[in-house]
Amino acid sequence: MVTSADLTKPHMWFPFARAMKRKIIYHCGPTNSGKTYNALQRFMEAKKGIYCSPLRLLAMEVFDKVNALGVYCSLLTGQEKKQVPFSNHVACTVEMVSTDDLYDVAVIDEIQMMADSCRGYAWTRALLGLKADEIHMCGDPSVLNIVRKICSDTGDELHECHYGRFKPLVVEAKTLLGDLKNIRSGDCVVAFSRREIFEVKLAIEKHTDHRCCVIYGALPPETRRQQANLFNDQDNEYDVLVASDAVGMGLNLNIRRVVFYGLTKYNGQKNVPVPSSQVKQIAGRAGRRGSIYPDGLTTTLHLDDLEYLIQCLKEPFEEVKKVGLFPFYEQIELFAGQLPNLTFSQLLEQFRENCRLDGSYFFCQHDHIKKVANMLEKVKGLSLEDRFNFCFAPVNIRDPKAMYHLLRFASSYSQNLPVNIAMGMPKGSARNDTELLDLETRHQVVSMYLWLSNHFKEETFPYVKKAEEMATNIAALLGQSLIKANWKPESRQMRKPKPEGKKSEEGDGDEKPSYERPRSIAKLFDR
């Protein structure tokens, strides 16, 4: 069991990458320092290139930008496959990157995400396995030392390019004194729960002449981009942005000042201070070279939070000691041969308990996967690989409706029936928070259907065109709903704190982990 759960020396899982003399260029610096711009310039100059994004939204943005500049580029995410004729470039989400194809230049954005407790394995795999002559990594200094160690293990040549902000980020000593009437045009108010986001929007529009755009993680990428464009456009009345920490990456925004509504967030058990690295990432969105607000400002709503904000911005980036790993399907399959009578959820837990890891790596959290696996136990006729794939579907495990549809999709698939969406289109935009939540769930369901259609045989999910049309229409309805939203959140605002140790149903506004099954390493097993 221990031998088949051996995750030591992960750099040796990719023998073709090890046979290459790769050149690794680490573009290291804070936000608004030009590091990603420089990496993308090299990407566009290459004969064949790939850009690995942390978010669908950012992959879509690069796809649009690169094609607009005359470089044919395709798009590949869990939900979209857009093949542009004659293209030798691709913008993809990091989970979807191929380690089988050969590239001249690869770009891995937000490389510090290797340390993410849930998704870190995808960045680790990209760094270890990409077959590219040049790999450009963009990120903060937190993972620099561990990247140096990994490059020493792989034998790759590492070059470091260090950047500073174009303009320094200035902390305004005068806060908003607890009064949202002190909001100004170009401000972005950052709150860490969906409830607070809508309360802030309501208060600003009620007590001032400002109009607000809204961005948070549960919104589709298309809706977030629509809200961002509305905020960036100087020729309309929408001059304030209210957002969650989802604003920290993936959008080009003309923000004059970032105002923190608070600096604590709920972690599933209790309120804790927002990590300093996240505070830096979000605050750094203020001011952008070439925008109408080149000088970035940041402050807090309440005076009590100002000292912590200053402390976070002064602190050096905390050095990351370990990065994430997660087993490939073939490794789970090999391990399952030792324990044939366990459920898939039990199998994953046994693998975690028995696996061996080098000191530079940790086993990524998989509570999301286990919860889906437990739900699917009642579905008969699924192979181990089917279960593995279904468990990585992008579903909010705290949303019973979304979980029900995933169960239904898996049940139809297990019976060899064409999987139907079986969900009607809403009649119009949301009139209250309950209807807004319903729109969010509906979009998540069709997005999940599209993801599954890209990971199973085409004939088993035959209604892709219908799903794409529904996704587009629901995203548009969400955009319309946010523009006119003038209500308090109804379904979650009075929820009492959960007892210690229990998960809350209250979302924190983050982009949920965009899970993707680890890509095959079949060659490792001489298949």
Side-chain angles (χ1 to χ4, degrees):
M1 284 170 57
V2 172
T3 303
S4 57
D6 189 353
L7 297 182
T8 57
K9 295 183 173 56
H11 60 284
M12 299 308 295
W13 299 351
F14 305 96
F16 290 100
R18 296 294 72 78
M20 299 176 68
K21 286 299 292 180
R22 303 187 308 172
K23 182 179 178 182
I24 311 285
I25 299 96
Y26 194 137
H27 300 268
C28 182
T31 52
N32 195 28
S33 59
K35 56 186 189 296
T36 306
Y37 172 83
N38 287 334
L40 284 174
Q41 290 298 115
R42 187 69 192 94
F43 163 74
M44 289 189 289
E45 290 167 3
K47 288 183 180 178
K48 186 175 183 181
I50 187 162
Y51 167 79
C52 308
S53 164
L55 301 173
R56 287 173 61 201
L57 180 61
L58 195 49
M60 292 158 66
E61 193 172 282
V62 168
F63 166 76
D64 289 338
K65 183 186 296 183
V66 169
N67 279 296
L69 292 171
V71 178
Y72 297 139
C73 181
S74 297
L75 177 68
L76 178 63
T77 75
Q79 288 83 350
E80 302 101 350
K81 287 182 181 178
K82 294 183 179 177
Q83 187 64 42
V84 174
F86 311 111
S87 68
N88 287 320
H89 293 70
V90 61
C92 69
T93 44
V94 67
E95 286 90 350
M96 293 295 288
V97 63
S98 168
T99 56
D100 293 329
D101 295 335
L102 190 64
Y103 305 99
D104 296 309
V105 172
V107 176
I108 308 173
D109 211 350
E110 304 292 353
I111 189 63
Q112 72 276 359
M113 288 287 287
M114 283 201 299
D116 185 80
S117 61
C118 293
R119 297 177 63 202
Y121 68 85
W123 279 262
T124 303
R125 171 184 158 269
L127 172 56
L128 294 176
L130 266 168
K131 293 194 293 189
D133 295 321
E134 275 182 34
I135 298 178
H136 293 256
M137 300 185 301
C138 308
D140 65 41
S142 62
V143 293
L144 181 55
N145 280 336
I146 201 159
V147 166
R148 287 170 178 161
K149 184 183 181 305
I150 289 172
C151 288
S152 174
D153 292 339
T154 59
D156 293 318
E157 178 187 344
L158 177 62
H159 298 259
E160 298 173 19
C161 300
H162 293 268
Y163 298 76
R165 275 182 68 94
F166 291 123
K167 289 285 186 75
L169 183 65
V170 176
V171 179
E172 283 193 331
K174 185 180 179 183
T175 67
L176 269 61
L177 304 174
D179 192 349
L180 288 169
K181 290 179 183 175
N182 293 322
I183 285 292
R184 299 288 180 265
S185 292
D187 282 353
C188 172
V189 184
V190 176
F192 291 95
S193 79
R194 186 180 180 282
R195 174 181 57 79
E196 288 177 342
I197 287 169
F198 282 99
E199 285 178 352
V200 169
K201 171 181 162 61
L202 185 64
I204 290 173
E205 294 188 340
K206 183 177 181 181
H207 298 294
T208 73
D209 293 329
H210 300 292
R211 297 294 303 277
C212 299
C213 298
V214 175
I215 292 173
Y216 54 93
L219 295 174
E222 299 87 349
T223 307
R224 272 182 275 171
R225 183 149 57 165
Q226 178 255 350
Q227 291 288 298
N229 291 340
L230 203 60
F231 172 70
N232 287 340
D233 186 355
Q234 297 301 302
D235 297 326
N236 63 41
E237 56 190 335
Y238 295 92
D239 59 347
V240 171
L241 179 64
V242 185
S244 75
D245 43 358
V247 80
M249 63 176 78
L251 284 166
N252 284 318
L253 295 161
N254 290 325
I255 297 172
R256 181 181 73 92
R257 177 176 65 171
V258 168
V259 178
F260 287 92
Y261 184 72
L263 281 168
T264 60
K265 65 184 292 187
Y266 195 72
N267 70 353
Q269 295 183 351
K270 58 184 178 180
N271 279 321
V272 296
V274 179
S276 60
S277 59
Q278 197 171 18
V279 173
K280 287 182 181 184
Q281 179 91 15
I282 296 167
R285 303 299 291 176
R288 201 175 97 234
R289 191 183 191 189
S291 80
I292 59 170
Y293 304 119
D295 301 310
L297 303 171
T298 185
T299 190
T300 57
L301 175 64
H302 300 285
L303 186 61
D304 293 349
D305 291 321
L306 187 63
E307 186 178 344
Y308 182 65
L309 172 61
I310 295 169
Q311 178 190 330
C312 288
L313 297 180
K314 281 183 177 178
E315 279 184 12
F317 283 95
E318 186 177 348
E319 184 185 340
V320 167
K321 303 291 186 182
K322 295 184 178 185
V323 296
L325 277 184
F326 198 81
F328 297 95
Y329 168 68
E330 289 83 359
Q331 291 165 307
I332 294 290
E333 184 184 35
L334 195 64
F335 185 77
Q338 317 296 319
L339 299 164
N341 298 320
L342 294 188
T343 67
F344 184 56
S345 178
Q346 292 169 338
L347 200 62
L348 284 175
E349 196 54 37
Q350 282 294 313
F351 191 102
R352 185 189 65 79
E353 290 176 7
N354 284 279
C355 75
R356 291 187 299 181
L357 292 159
D358 288 337
S360 299
Y361 300 93
F362 65 85
F363 195 94
C364 281
Q365 289 180 13
H366 55 291
D367 293 345
H368 169 282
I369 299 165
K370 286 201 299 183
K371 184 157 186 178
V372 176
N374 286 329
M375 179 184 72
L376 295 181
E377 281 307 319
K378 64 185 78 171
V379 181
K380 307 301 178 185
L382 292 176
S383 68
L384 182 67
E385 188 169 10
D386 290 337
R387 293 185 189 280
F388 191 87
N389 279 325
F390 270 106
C391 284
F392 279 90
V395 62
N396 182 355
I397 58 175
R398 296 177 298 189
D399 188 332
K401 290 181 182 176
M403 290 289 276
Y404 161 76
H405 282 285
L406 179 58
L407 177 62
R408 189 174 54 76
F409 292 160
S411 298
S412 294
Y413 177 86
S414 70
Q415 299 169 56
N416 292 317
L417 297 172
V419 180
N420 203 323
I421 302 170
M423 184 181 68
M425 269 294 296
K427 294 179 180 178
S429 57
R431 296 165 294 181
N432 53 52
D433 191 58
T434 302
E435 292 184 1
L436 186 66
L437 284 165
D438 180 63
L439 284 175
E440 291 172 16
T441 296
R442 286 172 186 264
H443 191 279
Q444 186 190 152
V445 171
V446 293
S447 179
M448 184 166 58
Y449 186 94
L450 290 169
W451 187 95
L452 291 166
S453 73
N454 283 329
H455 291 77
F456 290 91
K457 291 180 180 177
E458 188 177 341
E459 59 269 21
T460 58
F461 289 84
Y463 303 106
V464 172
K465 293 295 183 189
K466 180 183 177 183
E468 289 174 343
E469 186 179 332
M470 288 178 71
T472 300
N473 291 338
I474 294 171
L477 288 176
L478 276 164
Q480 294 169 23
S481 304
L482 293 174
I483 287 171
K484 68 179 186 180
N486 58 358
W487 57 78
K488 287 185 179 180
E490 298 167 5
S491 58
R492 301 180 183 185
Q493 74 185 79
M494 302 303 291
R495 190 151 298 181
K496 295 178 182 178
K498 292 284 181 183
E500 197 70 20
K502 290 192 177 181
K503 295 284 184 181
S504 167
E505 297 293 322
E506 170 70 52
D508 64 0
D510 294 355
E511 166 125 337
K512 299 299 179 288
S514 175
Y515 287 99
E516 192 72 51
R517 64 161 284 175
R519 310 296 278 184
S520 173
I521 53 164
K523 291 184 178 65
L524 175 65
F525 295 89
D526 296 325
R527 289 191 174 182

